[in-house]
Amino acid sequence: MEFRHLGRSGLVISEIAYGNWITHGSQVEADAAHACVHAALEAGITTFDTADVYAGTKAETVLGDALKGQRREGLEIFTKVFWPTGPGRNDRGLSRKHILESINGSLRRLQTDYVDLYQAHRYDNSTPLEETMLAFADVVRSGKALYIGVSEWKASEIRAAADLARQLGVPLISSQPQYSMLWRVIEAEVVPACEELGLGQIVWSPIAQGVLTGKYLPGQAPPAGSRATDAVGGNFVRDLLDDEVLTRVQQLKPLAQESGLTMAQLAVAWVLQNRNVSAAIIGASRPEQVEENVKAAGVKLDEGLLKQIDEILDPVVRRDPRLTTSPAKRP
């Protein structure tokens, strides 16, 4: 495993992080989830990412159970707040009430006294940013989180939050966006802003929901048991199951083979070539998937290969920064 600083902070994290969105508490039974977490630990992963909303809070509980007995100081545990975790009007968003109540719930489920990184899961148009940032500052000063970050925020929103963070004297150090060979919307605005401000990217879906493994074939039904056939996971992958996208992804297979990599390893290694990326989050339903994907750590892709990838995928790559959108304003 290789390690990187998260942005310009002093926090060092594994460049491949383990995330349990969709899988833990929903698609994967607890025993299998624990096996995947233990495989991650054995592979040298120390950074684990989750969120209170995943599987309706169950994912945090599963991760807390799986990490029980590990040396806490040797781990970096990240979670997030924003999406609904209950039926009440204040059980969502980035109000002071929801943030301060949510951190307590997350710590209880994760069975820890603090998280290393507490992230705003989306931007909240219904709450003044000053209120949100002050609440996050109080979470840090209480010792319940060491650092703060954001997820899927636009560059302008990140700049405004960074300015308030400086005024409040709290460490805003990260952005967690979607990023892959096929989804590059952060490159035009978010990455330059974060490089300037000292934030690092912790990117999710580097394998594009499994599309970049090459297992989905143009003109064919998704393989049985794949994410595309799952009632929940399928909602996130269907937009990518376009025949032109899938045809071009198949053209990457010879490049992966020539590099001695699987398609998944090539996809994870590709996002790690971006100097602003501190970590790529991988998920798994089986330990073997973890063992395969961690082999992307430390891989250097030469400029010729990167150029070939661009030439193949360019017509189907999504780059428009407007695709990073905030949720609609709540009533």
Side-chain angles (χ1 to χ4, degrees):
M1 183 54 59
E2 298 287 330
F3 297 84
R4 303 182 179 191
H5 282 273
L6 182 46
R8 287 203 293 266
S9 77
L11 181 65
V12 177
I13 63 176
S14 52
E15 70 176 18
I16 296 180
Y18 183 85
N20 68 351
W21 173 51
I22 295 182
T23 51
H24 292 189
S26 54
Q27 285 185 341
V28 178
E29 296 296 330
D31 287 348
H34 288 197
C36 289
V37 169
H38 293 157
L41 291 164
E42 290 171 8
I45 291 175
T46 60
T47 305
F48 294 84
D49 181 82
T50 187
D52 57 6
V53 72
Y54 295 166
T57 74
K58 293 178 184 176
E60 285 186 326
T61 299
V62 172
L63 183 60
D65 288 340
L67 292 175
K68 193 182 300 182
Q70 298 296 319
R71 179 175 176 270
R72 179 63 183 89
E73 294 80 0
L75 302 173
E76 304 86 46
I77 300 176
F78 302 168
T79 193
K80 312 180 198 72
V81 56
F82 174 83
W83 296 108
T85 51
R89 295 192 179 191
N90 289 305
D91 290 325
R92 65 195 69 202
L94 297 179
S95 69
R96 179 176 181 81
K97 177 176 172 64
H98 187 53
I99 289 172
L100 297 184
E101 291 175 347
S102 293
I103 186 63
N104 291 331
S106 289
L107 296 181
R108 184 177 63 252
R109 290 185 290 269
L110 289 165
Q111 302 178 53
T112 182
D113 295 329
Y114 68 95
V115 291
D116 297 272
L117 181 69
Y118 199 39
Q119 303 161 95
H121 210 159
R122 290 296 186 275
Y123 188 85
D124 187 353
N125 291 302
S126 297
T127 301
L129 184 58
E130 292 81 2
E131 176 182 340
T132 293
M133 295 305 294
L134 180 58
F136 274 118
D138 287 343
V139 169
V140 171
R141 292 187 179 117
S142 70
K144 295 178 181 180
L146 305 185
Y147 303 87
I148 55 175
V150 301
S151 178
E152 291 294 343
W153 283 32
K154 299 174 184 176
S156 59
E157 296 162 347
I158 293 171
R159 288 185 183 280
D163 183 56
L164 287 169
R166 282 193 298 271
Q167 295 177 41
L168 292 164
V170 290
L172 176 64
I173 65 170
S174 66
S175 164
Q176 186 175 134
Q178 181 178 182
Y179 187 50
S180 71
M181 293 180 190
L182 294 171
W183 189 270
R184 307 188 194 183
V185 302
I186 63 171
E187 292 181 341
E189 297 178 1
V190 168
V191 166
C194 288
E195 286 183 326
E196 175 190 335
L197 298 168
L199 280 68
Q201 308 297 327
I202 310 160
V203 303
W204 59 273
S205 198
I207 308 175
Q209 302 298 309
V211 170
L212 288 170
T213 65
K215 66 184 176 183
Y216 298 108
L217 302 176
Q220 296 188 24
S226 65
R227 178 167 292 181
T229 64
D230 180 78
V232 176
N235 293 328
F236 299 99
V237 70
R238 289 191 186 104
D239 284 349
L240 292 170
L241 299 182
D242 174 87
D243 276 356
E244 184 179 4
V245 172
L246 300 181
T247 297
R248 289 184 176 275
V249 168
Q250 292 301 308
Q251 294 172 26
L252 298 176
K253 285 185 174 180
L255 302 185
Q257 292 169 354
E258 291 168 12
S259 302
L261 302 169
T262 66
M263 289 280 283
Q265 289 164 1
L266 179 65
V268 175
W270 184 90
V271 301
L272 291 172
Q273 306 309 296
N274 187 316
R275 66 183 183 181
N276 191 230
V277 171
S278 297
I281 301 172
I282 64 168
S285 56
R286 304 186 313 277
E288 308 87 77
Q289 293 173 318
V290 178
E291 293 160 3
E292 174 189 343
N293 293 342
V294 295
K295 293 176 183 176
V299 171
K300 305 300 179 187
L301 305 180
D302 63 51
E303 290 300 320
L305 176 56
L306 294 173
K307 184 178 179 181
Q308 286 180 288
I309 292 170
D310 286 347
E311 290 172 348
I312 290 170
L313 296 180
D314 186 65
V316 296
V317 169
R318 300 187 185 186
R319 303 179 187 274
D320 188 347
R322 292 174 297 181
L323 292 172
T324 299
T325 57
S326 299
K329 187 174 181 179
R330 291 182 289 113

